[in-house]
Each structure stands twice: as C-alpha cells, then as structure tokens.
Amino acid sequence: MTAPDPRQLAIHDFTYALPAERIAPEPLPDRAASRLLVSRHGQLTDKHFRDLPNELPADTLLIFNDTRVVRARLLARRPTGGQVELFCLEPVAPHRSLELALQQPGACTWRCLVGNGRRWKEGPVELTFSASDGQEARLTAVRREQEAGTALIDFNWTPAELPFAEVLRAAGHLPLPPYIDRPDTATDAVRYQTVYAAAEGAVAAPTAGLHFTPELLAELAERGFETGHVTLHVGAGTFQPVKADRMAGHPMHTEPILVTAALLRQLLAHRPRPVVAVGTTSLRTLETLYWLGAGLLATPAATGNELLVTQWQPYEMAEAAANISPEQALTALLRHLEAAGTETLEARTQLLIAPGYRFRVIDGLITNFHQPESTLLLLVAALLGPDWRAVYEHALANGYRFLSYGDSSLLLP
C-alpha cells in the first residue's frame, strides 16, 4: 500500500472534542503521580507515571531533551503608562546563536511577538527591575520593522555589564502556553522546568519530561535503563495553529538542536535495542539526526552548507535514502564532526512528522496528550496509525488530564 503524501493531509481529519475542563491548569503536587496510559501494540493499560520502569521494554535507551525554559515574556510600560508585552522569540543581532545571544551584555536585537502593540505608536518602552545583586536595573526597548506578525526589537539596558540572560531571569516571566490563561507563579518557576533542565533557550517546556523526579531517574538507572540527552530549544511555533486546510500550506517552525558526538556513539552502540524518546522534541531531534546523516551520504558535496533538515526533506529524499541504514547515517554524521574537529553538532530542524513518515531511530515515545488539529497530534498519528484515535478516546473516557500540565502516555507501536 502506498504511504500517504503528508502534504495532502487535511488537518481537520486529526481532531477530537477537547472540553475546556479537561485541560490541566496546574501541575499535580507530585510530578510522578500523573497517570500514564500505555499503548503497547494497540493494547491500552492504565498506570501511573511512577510505574514507568515496569512498562518500558527491556534494554531501553531513554533520550531526554535537556533544554531549559527562559523567562521570555517582558512586560514593559509606554511613557503614558500603558503595558506592552514583548515575547522574545529568537536573537537577530549581534548574534544569531542562542547561547551567545544570552551572554550578550548591554544591547541586542531580538525578533519578538508584541502584545498590545497597536497602542505603541513610536518611541521606547521601559521596564525597571532588580538584578540578582539587588541593584536597580532598567531595560529600554525600541521597535523596528514588523514582519509576519512579529517585530524586531532593539533592547539596551543598564547596568550594561549584565548579560541578556540575567535581564530575562530578573525581569521576565515564564511563557506559559496560551491555553493556561493565568499569570505565571512561583510554582510554575519550578514545575514548568524538567528536573534535568540544563541548557537555557526554550520558550516552551518539553512537557513530557515534567513527570520525571530525581527518585524515578535513580530507579531507572538502578534497573539498568540507559539514558542520554539532546538539546532542542523549543520555540513558540510549537503552539502555532495549523490554519491551512492541507498540510502543504502550513509552514513548519525551525528550531536549533545541539547533540554531542558522545550521544551519537551511544546511539550506535545501543542499536538495535529499543530507543524511546521522552517527548516529541526529543523524537524530532533523533529523527533529524538520521536525515542529517543521510543528507551527507546522498549529497557529499553539500557538507559545507548549514546543517538543516527541512519540512519535507524526508518525503522528498525517501527514494534516495531507501538503502541508508540508521547506523550508516549516524556514522556519517559522527565522521562529519570528527572531520570538523568538534564534539558538538549544531544544526536546525524544520522536520514535520506526519502519517506517511517512516521512523528510523526511535521505537517508542513518552508524551502528553496534545491539542486537536496540531502538528504534535500528527506526529502521534504517524507513530500509531489509526490507533491514535482509540488512545485519545480512552483518555477522554477515563478522566485523563490534557496538554502541558496534564497526564502522560507511553506509546509503543
């Protein structure tokens, strides 16, 4: 049977009725007390997240996304007193590298979403805050050109020696998802981060990981499960609704990834034993690794170009990659890093995983329950096939909590 062309998929075929009261507005007091719906070869079982070590296949390698959410929402004031919200999306100048941009002192330019911007006609907006050493600091923002619903914002601040990361930590707010319609709290500052978060840069949490506790991670290690970490800095595009009738009309957002050579070696040594991704961002990163390596093998002359997997690349390269194994692709990527004299892969991914996609690296997924008509739900449908609907119907019929602060699932197709 011919695989469906994901560009022709109608997003309205991937919907379900999600009552507002089923969206979890707050996290549970105990991370691991969340429920866990296990789908194993189409059979559904109700568990709790702390049961995970008993439910994973033997010899599983779990891959986590260790990105850390930055306090990317800034609430500034116009000279007349009105509030303007600036949601920092990505750095533009003097650095496009997220890590360098967050360490930039004094001034920088970011692409931002602007809330209440129609009342901000011209001139700067300002925000005063207390730096970590207690001294008063001031941030000034000036809007430049608008583009596709965003604006370039020039920031400058005093004391000028503060890095922009410190400005965000001291002055910013956590960017809770738009469906959590309340201000962020001190509880969110802890619970909207994974316990293993390390690399600052996300503007949304990799929420599948919110259920893990240090105790659960220790138990997994004691039981002999391997773990590894990748970094994908989750962008605001993860909440971008699909407005086109067909997926061909939906532009997938691009996100930066960082993966060590050690992780590539770990994946190669672990094969062919199972790999389970913790969250859709970890899954997209792992599958991106395959396509980066396959691209190096298919077009060796392009190795000097930026490492990027585009939205439709897997579907357009399907024939060229038919005989490229995951081991060959990962080895090619590792050799590319060795030739470049680096132990860290820096790349970007725009990968859209939808029905018609063939998974190369992962064998299962831990993930929360996603919004109707979303690219995240398309990914689940690609993994489970038509069984995705039975999983969601079961979750709705049995009181599971949905979305970022909701319950979890272990999907083993």
Side-chain angles (χ1 to χ4, degrees):
M1 186 172 66
T2 304
D5 181 351
R7 283 166 286 206
Q8 299 308 314
L9 291 174
I11 193 61
H12 303 304
D13 291 338
F14 298 87
T15 192
Y16 65 94
L18 177 59
E21 62 270 17
R22 301 302 293 278
I23 299 172
E26 308 279 350
L28 294 177
D30 175 6
R31 290 177 186 261
S34 297
R35 299 178 69 193
L36 179 70
L37 177 52
V38 181
S39 174
R40 181 180 280 103
H41 314 312
Q43 298 297 310
L44 302 180
T45 311
D46 299 306
K47 297 288 183 178
H48 285 90
F49 201 81
R50 59 171 53 93
D51 300 321
L52 180 67
N54 298 323
E55 300 301 322
L56 289 169
D59 293 327
T60 289
L61 168 61
L62 286 168
I63 301 295
F64 299 86
N65 180 7
D66 67 3
T67 188
R68 185 172 186 82
V69 183
V70 295
R71 303 172 71 87
R73 291 176 59 241
L74 295 163
L75 305 179
R77 293 281 175 187
R78 305 194 313 273
T80 56
Q83 182 173 276
V84 172
E85 177 181 333
L86 303 173
F87 187 169
C88 299
L89 297 177
E90 60 180 0
V92 174
H95 307 290
R96 288 188 176 271
S97 162
L98 194 55
E99 286 69 26
L100 293 176
L102 289 172
Q103 295 309 309
Q104 174 66 26
C108 61
T109 301
W110 280 61
R111 185 170 301 282
C112 299
L113 291 172
V114 179
N116 205 21
R118 283 182 294 182
R119 296 176 177 238
W120 181 17
K121 301 300 183 186
E122 59 183 16
V125 294
E126 293 187 341
L127 171 62
T128 58
F129 59 98
S130 294
S132 57
D133 61 2
Q135 65 179 318
E136 183 176 282
R138 181 181 298 274
L139 173 72
T140 300
V142 175
R143 180 168 56 184
R144 285 204 277 146
E145 70 244 39
Q146 298 269 143
E147 179 185 322
T150 66
L152 294 185
I153 304 294
D154 292 330
F155 293 108
N156 63 79
W157 57 91
T158 56
E161 63 269 18
L162 294 177
F164 193 57
E166 170 63 17
V167 172
L168 293 178
R169 276 193 289 268
H173 293 263
L174 275 177
L176 294 178
Y179 46 75
I180 298 181
D181 188 18
R182 59 171 176 78
D184 60 314
T185 66
T187 298
D188 295 313
V190 176
R191 295 299 305 279
Y192 198 59
Q193 303 280 11
T194 62
V195 298
Y196 48 82
E200 282 197 317
V203 299
T207 55
L210 297 181
H211 308 282
F212 285 86
T213 64
E215 295 78 14
L216 184 54
L217 291 171
E219 182 182 350
L220 287 165
E222 290 167 6
R223 299 274 291 271
F225 292 104
E226 284 189 68
T227 59
H229 293 84
V230 297
T231 304
L232 181 147
H233 291 310
V234 190
T238 193
F239 302 120
Q240 180 182 347
V242 179
K243 297 179 180 178
D245 289 336
R246 301 277 172 183
M247 290 309 299
H250 176 74
M252 192 68 174
H253 54 288
T254 304
E255 293 164 314
I257 64 171
L258 293 94
V259 175
T260 63
L263 187 280
L264 294 174
R265 296 186 189 103
Q266 184 180 20
L267 288 169
L268 281 166
H270 190 79
R271 294 193 62 82
R273 292 169 291 169
V275 174
V276 172
V278 178
T280 58
T281 58
S282 296
L283 186 153
R284 288 178 63 240
T285 303
L286 291 169
E287 293 296 313
T288 291
L289 295 179
Y290 172 84
W291 291 105
L292 289 172
L296 292 174
L297 290 170
T299 54
T303 55
N305 297 339
E306 177 190 32
L307 290 174
L308 166 70
V309 171
T310 58
Q311 179 168 345
W312 305 114
Q313 182 176 332
Y315 312 99
E316 295 165 349
M317 273 189 67
E319 186 174 340
N323 296 317
I324 298 176
S325 70
E327 289 84 356
Q328 290 172 316
L330 294 172
T331 299
L333 202 50
L334 190 57
R335 288 176 178 162
H336 174 76
L337 293 185
E338 291 168 351
T342 180
E343 284 289 303
T344 303
L345 166 73
E346 295 188 39
R348 297 192 304 146
T349 186
Q350 195 186 16
L351 177 60
L352 173 66
I353 295 178
Y357 182 86
R358 181 164 71 86
F359 292 88
R360 263 68 172 195
V361 180
I362 66 97
D363 302 283
L365 172 66
I366 296 168
T367 191
N368 288 14
F369 297 97
H370 303 295
Q371 288 181 295
E373 299 187 5
S374 65
T375 57
L376 302 178
L377 187 58
L378 282 177
L379 185 153
V380 171
L383 184 65
L384 295 183
D387 285 350
W388 78 264
R389 195 171 290 280
V391 169
Y392 274 67
E393 288 174 351
H394 182 97
L396 286 165
N398 289 275
Y400 281 76
R401 301 159 72 247
F402 278 60
L403 307 187
S404 293
Y405 275 148
D407 293 316
S408 187
S409 63
L410 169 62
L411 308 179
L412 301 170

